Amino acid sequence: NAFGPRSGSRSSKTFKPKKNIPEGSHQYELLKHAEATLGSGNLRQAVMLPEGEDLNEWIAVNTVDFFNQINMLYGTITEFCTESSCPVMSAGPRYEYHWADGTNIKKPIKCSAPKYIDYLMTWVQDQLDDETLFPSKIGVPFPKNFMSVAKTILKRLFRVYAHIYHQHFDSVMRLQEEAHLNTSFKHFIFFVQEFNLIDRRELAPLHELIEKLGSKDR
């Protein structure tokens, strides 16, 4: 019964509403450019800043795209990521994450993975929707602190990949989503490496996988 509604399954829906880049906008053109170069199969080249483009805008468009991809990937496994299966937000036995956003929750709290990821994705979404941080209109400048905002968002989105790989990879394999996950993650890693957006320390939970993905392309 592959097509019937499975109770409690969120796999057919996305986890959070998708963030749409307005059609006809310059950012939409950039996204289309990104998709076209991805199709060429050379990811190292695909992540490079297109000639004459603004770095902030390129990072903004890709950050929105990664948010949507991770959203979709996590959406396929939400039924396996529960309070009981994942009482803490971890990426293997050595890495555990506690949630704080600096405004509503100042002191890091220990919470289950689904709760942590819900906090995280809601927090990212609020920033992507904030026109002062992620301006969608042409000519509206990016804020001076944009780079540090983007870095924090990407650092946190990485944790969702790390959790999926460490705790739910068997479910990903069963759903035959591994190629999709690997391609998305590889694109993400090449992107953050190209612009030096995530500290090496933060990438440690998936260090071996990152090495492996990179070695195939040298």
Side-chain angles (χ1 to χ4, degrees):
N1 180 10
F3 302 104
R6 294 214 301 284
S7 63
S9 156
R10 307 246 290 261
S11 58
S12 56
K13 300 200 266 315
T14 42
F15 169 61
K16 296 249 171 247
K18 197 165 183 252
K19 163 88 180 156
N20 284 320
I21 290 178
E23 220 170 312
S25 68
H26 182 62
Q27 292 186 4
Y28 186 79
E29 296 306 309
L30 270 181
L31 184 63
K32 286 280 155 270
H33 169 88
E35 284 168 0
T37 51
L38 278 176
S40 75
N42 184 337
L43 282 172
R44 288 267 180 228
Q45 227 168 347
V47 296
M48 289 175 185
L49 180 66
E51 196 130 339
E53 291 298 344
D54 176 57
L55 178 62
N56 284 346
E57 194 159 32
W58 181 239
I59 287 176
V61 166
N62 281 279
T63 300
V64 169
D65 192 37
F66 289 127
F67 169 78
N68 286 336
Q69 287 183 42
I70 292 167
N71 209 347
M72 206 164 69
L73 287 161
Y74 184 69
T76 63
I77 58 118
T78 46
E79 62 194 290
F80 310 111
C81 185
T82 62
E83 298 285 325
S84 55
S85 73
C86 303
V88 295
M89 173 62 179
S90 63
R94 288 171 51 211
Y95 299 96
E96 188 180 305
Y97 300 111
H98 297 171
W99 179 255
D101 57 14
T103 44
N104 304 324
I105 300 172
K106 290 193 168 67
K107 213 176 143 194
I109 56 168
K110 200 170 174 160
C111 55
S112 69
K115 194 146 195 73
Y116 184 101
I117 292 171
D118 195 29
Y119 278 134
L120 189 158
M121 297 303 264
T122 304
W123 173 85
V124 172
Q125 197 170 22
D126 288 346
Q127 294 189 84
L128 299 182
D129 288 339
D130 183 342
E131 283 287 326
T132 63
L133 291 177
F134 280 78
S136 61
K137 294 179 185 61
I138 294 280
V140 176
F142 281 85
K144 293 219 175 357
N145 65 334
F146 176 74
M147 216 37 135
S148 71
V149 168
K151 282 178 173 176
T152 307
I153 289 174
L154 293 164
K155 172 181 86 175
R156 290 182 167 178
L157 287 175
F158 168 81
R159 296 171 181 177
V160 184
Y161 280 120
H163 179 72
I164 294 173
Y165 272 111
H166 276 283
Q167 313 302 136
H168 300 293
F169 197 65
D170 54 340
S171 301
V172 170
M173 303 251 297
R174 275 205 306 279
L175 294 163
Q176 297 179 324
E177 286 280 329
E178 71 266 37
H180 183 176
L181 174 66
N182 288 340
T183 304
S184 173
F185 180 63
K186 186 174 179 177
H187 179 200
F188 178 89
I189 284 301
F190 284 10
F191 188 82
V192 299
Q193 285 174 339
E194 174 73 12
F195 303 105
N196 212 357
L197 298 168
I198 302 182
D199 208 47
R200 278 183 73 100
R201 264 200 330 263
E202 286 285 339
L203 298 173
L206 293 177
H207 172 72
E208 282 164 23
L209 177 64
I210 292 167
E211 289 286 294
K212 205 166 86 184
L213 292 174
S215 66
K216 287 193 188 129
D217 274 82
R218 286 198 184 100

